[in-house]
Amino acid sequence: MRTKLLAGVGALALMALSSQVNADPKKGTVTINVTVPASCSFYVSSSTITATLDPAKSDVTAEGSPQLQILCTNGTNYTIRADNGLHYDSGSRRVFNEDANAYIPYEFDWNPKSGSAQASTPITVKTQATFKVEDFQDKPAGTYTDTVTLTVNP
């Protein structure tokens, strides 16, 4: 009697399990799981700041063009950081003229530095460099360059 009872319970469990796994042997199911991560990336990822530094004039502030843009998933809190550039020294970012082996220090700024993203709305990142006349008035003529890399997180 005990053997019949155990066999009956086992058969019922097997039937219940098989009905959950495959109720209709002609059909199958697919479960789809997707994740939308909190992330941001540059949509417009390259910009150039161009300025003419005339020692007969005053300080010069120039803005990047085109302006950088990032896109983030909706509601993502982001931060944007800038490195020190290629020619950083003694607490200053500097542009470099290879022919004259000369440097000009400058201040670099970007805005925004952080925020919260809205759905499908590009975030414009404005960049600018400021050069003080006392830093370039005695420098040799020529082209000076530097590259600053911005990183967006997450």
Side-chain angles (χ1 to χ4, degrees), residues 50-117:
T50 303
T52 300
L53 305 180
D54 183 349
K57 297 185 179 176
S58 62
D59 298 351
V60 174
T61 298
E63 292 189 1
S65 179
Q67 294 176 342
L68 300 172
Q69 289 189 331
I70 60 171
L71 285 174
C72 301
T73 50
N74 189 27
T76 299
N77 294 322
Y78 64 88
T79 57
I80 303 171
R81 301 197 190 286
D83 71 5
N84 289 327
L86 301 176
H87 307 291
Y88 183 84
D89 188 54
S90 301
S92 294
R93 288 183 176 97
R94 305 177 308 162
V95 289
F96 177 61
N97 178 323
E98 188 172 349
D99 294 334
N101 194 31
Y103 297 89
I104 300 172
Y106 67 95
E107 295 175 14
F108 179 79
D109 196 19
W110 68 100
N111 193 28
K113 291 177 177 55
S114 63
S116 182

Side-chain angles (χ1 to χ4, degrees), residues 1-19:
M1 174 96 156
R2 185 173 186 172
T3 304
K4 286 184 183 181
L5 181 61
L6 286 176
V9 170
L12 285 173
L14 186 59
M15 285 176 23
L17 182 61
S18 67
S19 69

